[in-house]
């Protein structure tokens, strides 16, 4: 790694001349003799002929294994599907196969920025060298395949190196962001008993430095399984001679190694389903679920998702020459994993560590856009909340530099409002670009996306373009029947290779089954192509979202997520996801943020309060209340006018930015705070006191 002042490698001015999904379909036609008149035909083949589809993905991406697989899907059962038995793979091997061709073409592996203005470049050979040096160090410390390596690191290149090194020797990776509190980190790491802890001395965020050595010491003291500690000097002030963390070594000393053993190092071949990493549910109640994904399943699904649906090609391929991929994320969100996955396809990854909105005293939503202009980013991704903030702030992206090479905007995390999507289209139209929005929904649970983008399908603001290939996603009504054009429960009726292998230390798969498979009877809807299968096939995956496939009349491939199905509004027999109400309310310029909960009582009328964060200077009076009610009445229905409206300082959110509707709903129904929310898993726990007091007042009246 070196600090670079040289300008980035120049890239071509033209976007890819052929969408990646079209290239794949041409390959299917030429190599398999398969042609499909519509995307729905292609999708239906991919979720009905599971063996043929996933074998095509294996072959199309030239998946490598020193031993052949004896089947594609050996046993169609959920959970417990066995994919590609006999095959061997390694996530790091798939990344490092790009070192020579990408470097020969003059492309970088990673470009990183932070909010202090530090820009660094990492070449592909340097990435390989550092990964090898780190991997050999881990092996020297006794890390064996299956041992857990826990990381407490921000979104910096060193985190990528440490992950790939862990994967290359068969260790199981798990990372938490340094903005998480000690208890939240321990709730995760205690469950998995790591052998090695890789931690950071401190982080910068919002214009301030935050020392984390005290937290690192607490983690070390509370994790007796840890035998070795590695510290990364992120702030430039680390002095291990005065450090209390026992047996620590600086990461910089480890990755500086460059000798014959480093030069010949190769990632070990592992079984297709060898555990790769452990990620966690949001942890709003109880202990977070430690979700284990496998090497092979994660890689093959990432390639299909990233390339075919996100249309992110290889940087050194003529069709996508100069591709540069950025998705803003912290290491506490699965989109960090998605950003790293760009390396799987030989893509230059552009990453940012810090607050994308500037500091409290000097808000600035142009930071990432200026970085994207400087680095000639071609795909720009972030959470929906980020784009909404840019929209609300009145950002003019044309003032951020030359953004003409950006051809796609990616978003996930929560439903993107039609207004914000339209804003993005208009912003790019003003600079002469016909921008494509790649809106996706899936998540941590299976390290993938159920619904997402398609370069050749129509685009409508607020609507995701299609169900992704290989994802047998349906919307089910209350009778457990698939519906089109109606809002229903999102289910996936067939296995996907990246679905969890298991939850860590989950006896008899009890938590795993309870999380996804207990709502519907085993076998119901499980036959590929439709219909019931035997109970031995297990149940369908129930994701916990409200989904509509097609428009209100059932036409088209578009999909809309209406929010979590367990935080749904049901007013006077009319059911609706919360996102529709947010779209109506947050379209008002006076509203910065909002949240609604629907409280239902046995034998009593429901009560639905609306909480709003208003733009500074806006009076909270009868005029604004009437404006809010009218917006809901016009956009939705008079049935959804709230019982009361409250002005609040903040909407409670998880660390990944999700509104905490269900915990506040449970709180106002009388459940104790400690039972419904984990403060350490929140981005803004200080706001809870106000809601606790409101709940007390409300419960006294009902």
């Amino acid at each position: 790694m070196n600090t670079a002042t040289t300008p980035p490698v120049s890239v071509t001015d033209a976007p890819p001349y052929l969408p990646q999904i079209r290239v794949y379909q041409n390959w299917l036609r030429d190599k398999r003799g398969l042609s499909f008149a519509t995307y729905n035909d292609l999708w239906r083949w991919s979720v009905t002929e599971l063996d043929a589809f996933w074998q095509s993905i294996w072959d199309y991406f030239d998946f490598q294994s020193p031993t052949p697989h004896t089947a594609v899907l050996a046993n169609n059962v959920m959970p417990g599907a066995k994919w590609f038995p006999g095959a061997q793979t390694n996530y790091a091997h798939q990344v490092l196969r790009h070192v020579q061709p990408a470097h020969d073409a003059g492309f970088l592996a990673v470009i990183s920025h932070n909010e202090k203005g530090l820009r660094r470049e990492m070449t592909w050979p340097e990435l390989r060298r550092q990964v090898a040096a780190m991997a050999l160090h881990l092996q020297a410390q006794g890390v064996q395949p299956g041992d857990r390596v826990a990381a407490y690191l921000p979104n910096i290149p060193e985190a990528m190196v440490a992950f790939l090194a862990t994967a290359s020797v068969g260790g199981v990776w798990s990372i938490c962001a340094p903005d998480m509190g000690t208890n939240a980190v321990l709730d995760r790491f205690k469950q998995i008993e790591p052998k090695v802890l890789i931690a950071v001395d401190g982080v910068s965020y919002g214009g301030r430095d935050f020392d984390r050595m005290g937290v690192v010491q607490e983690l070390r003291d509370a994790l007796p399984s840890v035998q070795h500690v590695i510290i990364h000097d992120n702030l430039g002030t680390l002095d291990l001679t005065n450090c209390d963390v026992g047996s620590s070594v600086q990461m910089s000393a480890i990755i500086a190694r460059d000798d014959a053993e480093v030069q010949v190092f190769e990632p070990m071949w592992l079984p297709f389903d060898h555990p790769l990493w452990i990620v966690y549910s949001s942890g709003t109640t109880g202990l977070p679920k430690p979700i284990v994904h496998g090497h092979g399943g994660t890689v093959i699904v990432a390639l299909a998702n990233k390339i075919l649906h996100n249309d992110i090609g290889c940087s050194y391929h003529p069709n996508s020459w100069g591709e540069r991929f950025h998705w803003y994320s912290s290491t506490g969100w699965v989109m960090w994993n998605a950003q790293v996955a760009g390396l799987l396809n030989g893509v230059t990854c552009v990453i940012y560590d810090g607050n994308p909105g500037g500091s409290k005293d000097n808000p600035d939503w142009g930071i990432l856009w200026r970085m994207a202009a400087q680095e000639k980013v071609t795909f720009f991704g972030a959470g929906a909340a980020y784009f909404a903030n840019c929209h609300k702030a009145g950002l003019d992206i044309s003032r951020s530099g030359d953004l003409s090479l950006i051809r796609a905007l990616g978003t996930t995390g929560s439903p993107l409002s039609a207004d914000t999507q339209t804003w993005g289209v208009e912003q790019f139209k003003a600079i002469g670009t016909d921008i494509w929005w790649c809106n996706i929904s899936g998540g941590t649970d299976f390290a993938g996306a159920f619904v997402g983008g398609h370069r050749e399908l129509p685009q409508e603001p607020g609507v995701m373009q299609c169900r992704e290939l290989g994802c047998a996603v349906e919307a089910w009504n209350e009778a457990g029947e698939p519906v089109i054009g109606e809002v229903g429960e999102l289910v996936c009726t067939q296995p996907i290779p990246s679905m969890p292998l298991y939850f860590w230390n989950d006896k008899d798969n009890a938590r795993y089954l309870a999380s996804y498979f207990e709502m519907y009877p085993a076998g119901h809807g499980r036959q590929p192509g439709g219909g019931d299968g035997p109970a031995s096939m297990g149940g369908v995956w129930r994701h916990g979202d409200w989904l509509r496939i097609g428009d209100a009349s059932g036409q088209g491939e578009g999909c809309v997520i209406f929010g979590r199905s367990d935080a749904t509004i049901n007013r006077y027999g009319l059911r609706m996801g919360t996102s529709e109400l947010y779209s109506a309310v947050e379209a008002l310029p006076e509203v910065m943020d909002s949240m609604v909960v629907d409280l239902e009582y046995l034998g009593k009328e429901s009560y639905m309060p609306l909480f709003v964060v208003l733009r500074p200077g806006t009076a909270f009076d009868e005029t604004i209340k009437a404006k809010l009610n009218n917006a809901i009445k016009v956009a939705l229905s008079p049935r959804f006018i709230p019982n009361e409206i409250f002005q609040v300082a903040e909407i409670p959110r998880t660390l990944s930015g999700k509104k905490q509707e269900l915990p506040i709903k449970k709180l106002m129904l009388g459940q104790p705070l400690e039972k419904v929310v984990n403060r350490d898993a929140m981005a803004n726990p200080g706001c809870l006191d106000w809601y606790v007091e409101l709940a007390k007042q409300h419960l006294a009246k009902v």
Side-chain angles (χ1 to χ4, degrees):
M1 176 67 66
N2 57 76
T3 301
T5 56
T6 56
V9 176
S10 62
V11 295
T12 60
D13 293 329
Y17 62 81
L18 200 60
Q20 299 293 336
I21 198 161
R22 176 54 51 192
V23 178
Y24 167 67
Q25 286 186 251
N26 290 347
W27 181 90
L28 282 177
R29 179 197 63 209
D30 297 341
K31 301 295 184 180
R32 295 289 194 270
L34 294 170
S35 294
F36 301 94
T38 67
Y39 176 74
N40 187 266
D41 292 337
L42 173 63
W43 173 82
R44 199 157 295 282
W45 168 76
S46 76
V47 299
T48 304
E49 303 296 332
L50 299 178
D51 283 17
F53 170 70
W54 287 109
Q55 182 65 54
S56 81
I57 296 298
W58 177 289
D59 294 339
Y60 180 70
F61 291 113
D62 188 26
F63 217 87
Q64 296 181 357
S65 170
T67 54
H69 51 274
T70 57
V72 176
L73 178 57
N75 189 17
N76 186 341
V77 60
M78 289 201 294
K82 185 75 173 177
W83 292 94
F84 297 99
Q88 297 179 74
T89 187
N90 192 302
Y91 189 110
H93 185 278
Q94 173 65 28
V95 169
L96 298 181
R97 66 189 288 188
H98 298 290
V99 168
Q100 205 57 52
H103 185 64
D104 289 347
F107 294 113
L108 297 166
V110 184
I111 301 171
S112 66
H113 285 243
N114 68 16
E115 64 178 37
K116 292 184 175 181
L118 177 65
R119 176 185 183 274
R120 298 188 290 167
E121 295 180 351
M122 179 179 280
T123 66
W124 281 93
E126 180 68 1
L127 174 66
R128 177 175 58 189
R129 188 194 62 75
Q130 291 192 21
V131 167
M134 188 72 172
L136 290 168
H137 178 82
L138 292 174
Q139 285 183 323
Q141 303 308 312
V143 173
Q144 300 291 319
D147 286 342
R148 277 76 63 211
V149 174
Y152 184 65
L153 294 169
N155 186 20
I156 54 178
E158 287 78 8
M160 293 173 143
V161 167
F163 158 60
L164 291 172
T166 300
S168 69
V169 298
V172 184
W173 172 261
S174 192
I175 190 168
C176 285
D179 58 349
M180 296 173 67
T182 307
N183 290 340
V185 177
L186 288 175
D187 281 347
R188 289 156 171 77
F189 288 169
K190 273 187 173 180
Q191 296 186 73
I192 66 170
E193 299 178 302
K195 179 178 279 189
V196 175
L197 174 65
I198 308 173
V200 71
D201 65 324
V203 293
S204 300
Y205 195 84
R208 294 175 56 197
D209 287 347
F210 297 89
D211 184 276
R212 285 290 182 260
M213 288 305 293
V215 177
V216 175
Q217 184 66 56
E218 291 181 87
L219 297 178
R220 177 67 186 88
D221 292 343
L223 295 169
S225 60
V226 170
Q227 299 175 15
H228 184 60
V229 179
I230 299 170
I231 304 291
H232 171 60
D233 183 7
N234 191 48
L235 296 180
T237 58
L238 181 64
D239 180 6
L240 284 182
T241 61
N242 298 315
C243 177
D244 291 333
V245 179
S247 62
S248 300
V249 61
Q250 282 206 48
M251 186 171 177
S252 58
I254 298 168
I255 59 177
R257 179 179 173 184
D258 189 8
D259 55 24
E261 198 175 0
V262 167
Q263 293 299 323
V264 301
F265 175 83
E266 292 287 342
M268 64 174 59
W269 291 106
L270 301 163
F272 188 87
D273 59 358
H274 186 84
L276 170 66
W277 59 41
I278 299 172
V279 293
Y280 304 89
S281 65
S282 59
T284 52
T285 59
L287 284 175
K289 300 184 288 285
I291 302 169
V292 184
H293 297 130
H295 275 254
T298 300
V299 171
I300 201 167
V301 169
L303 290 172
N305 167 259
K306 193 77 57 192
I307 300 169
L308 303 185
H309 285 283
N310 293 5
D311 201 42
I312 300 171
C314 173
S315 293
Y316 59 86
H317 191 283
N319 188 53
S320 45
W321 189 262
E323 188 87 88
R324 287 191 168 180
F325 170 44
H326 165 72
W327 198 300
Y328 176 77
S329 177
S330 80
T331 51
W333 189 24
V334 77
M335 293 315 296
W336 176 82
N337 306 66
Q339 172 75 83
V340 176
L343 298 173
L344 291 169
N345 191 41
V347 177
T348 299
C349 292
V350 181
I351 65 174
Y352 183 80
D353 177 37
N355 188 338
S359 66
K360 202 169 188 178
D361 298 331
N362 185 28
D364 179 5
W365 290 100
I367 292 171
L368 295 183
W369 299 104
R370 292 193 296 274
M371 179 191 74
Q374 177 185 352
E375 302 302 348
K376 296 180 168 49
V377 165
T378 55
F379 187 106
F380 183 105
Y386 169 79
F387 291 108
N389 280 321
C390 291
H391 180 198
K392 291 286 186 181
L395 183 71
D396 180 355
I397 68 165
S398 68
R399 298 180 179 179
S400 300
D402 183 3
L403 295 169
S404 61
L405 288 178
I406 295 179
R407 54 185 177 75
L409 299 176
T411 182
T412 189
S414 57
L416 181 73
S417 74
D419 285 347
T420 295
Q421 185 165 337
T422 300
W423 167 84
V425 170
E426 292 172 349
Q427 286 283 311
F428 275 87
K429 188 175 291 184
I431 64 172
T433 300
D434 185 16
I435 201 68
W436 172 60
W437 278 95
C438 180
N439 306 342
I440 65 175
S441 181
T444 303
D445 308 78
F446 65 104
F450 279 138
V451 293
H454 188 302
R455 266 289 184 179
E456 298 183 327
L457 287 177
Q459 187 143 45
E460 179 184 349
V463 179
M464 286 168 278
Q465 290 174 289
C466 64
R467 292 172 281 183
E468 294 208 352
L469 296 176
C471 300
V473 168
E474 296 179 349
W476 281 12
N477 62 18
E478 291 180 353
E481 302 164 335
V483 292
I484 299 292
E486 299 177 26
V487 178
E489 190 82 46
L490 190 163
V491 301
C492 186
T493 65
Q494 301 302 322
I496 299 170
S498 64
M499 282 177 174
L501 302 175
Y502 45 84
F503 290 176
W504 193 265
N505 203 25
D506 180 23
K507 186 178 180 182
D508 298 325
N509 270 349
R511 296 181 75 192
Y512 189 9
L513 289 165
S515 296
Y516 311 113
F517 298 106
E518 287 191 344
M519 186 166 183
Y520 300 100
H524 181 66
R526 284 283 285 112
Q527 194 65 36
D532 294 343
S536 59
M537 296 181 75
V540 300
W541 173 292
R542 178 247 183 182
H543 198 55
D545 281 340
W546 287 125
L547 169 72
R548 188 187 73 207
I549 300 167
D551 60 21
S553 61
Q555 301 300 306
E557 299 297 322
C559 297
V560 179
I561 298 288
F562 291 91
R564 294 293 296 176
S565 56
D566 48 13
T568 303
I569 302 170
N570 188 358
R571 298 282 276 179
Y572 316 109
L574 188 60
R575 191 174 65 180
M576 183 192 70
T578 53
S579 65
E580 284 188 283
L581 190 143
Y582 299 145
S583 295
V585 169
E586 293 174 16
L588 300 176
E590 297 90 343
V591 180
M592 300 295 290
D593 205 357
S594 66
M595 184 178 72
V596 67
V597 295
D598 183 19
L599 309 180
E600 297 173 317
Y601 305 90
L602 187 63
K604 296 183 180 180
E605 190 173 347
S606 73
Y607 170 75
M608 190 178 80
L610 171 66
F611 307 100
V612 293
V613 179
L614 298 179
R615 188 176 293 278
T618 302
F620 183 61
D621 53 20
E622 293 305 312
T623 300
I624 190 64
K625 290 180 183 178
K627 197 170 183 179
L628 288 162
N629 284 333
N630 189 61
I632 295 169
K633 178 181 178 180
V634 171
L636 305 176
S637 160
R639 300 190 195 193
F640 295 106
I641 292 175
N643 296 88
E644 285 188 85
I645 303 174
F646 296 94
Q647 182 182 14
V648 297
E650 292 181 276
I651 298 301
R653 290 183 179 271
T654 66
L655 288 167
S656 59
K658 292 188 181 349
K659 300 180 187 188
Q660 295 206 302
E661 301 158 326
L662 191 60
I664 299 303
K665 177 177 180 177
K666 290 179 177 179
L667 183 69
M668 295 194 68
L669 287 171
Q671 296 188 36
L673 179 67
E674 62 274 12
K675 295 288 188 182
V676 302
V677 70
N678 180 350
R679 285 178 176 267
D680 289 330
M682 288 186 62
N684 52 353
C687 73
L688 286 175
D689 292 343
W690 185 91
Y691 292 90
V692 170
E693 184 57 34
L694 176 70
K696 288 179 182 176
Q697 296 174 15
H698 175 73
L699 290 165
K701 294 187 291 186
V702 297

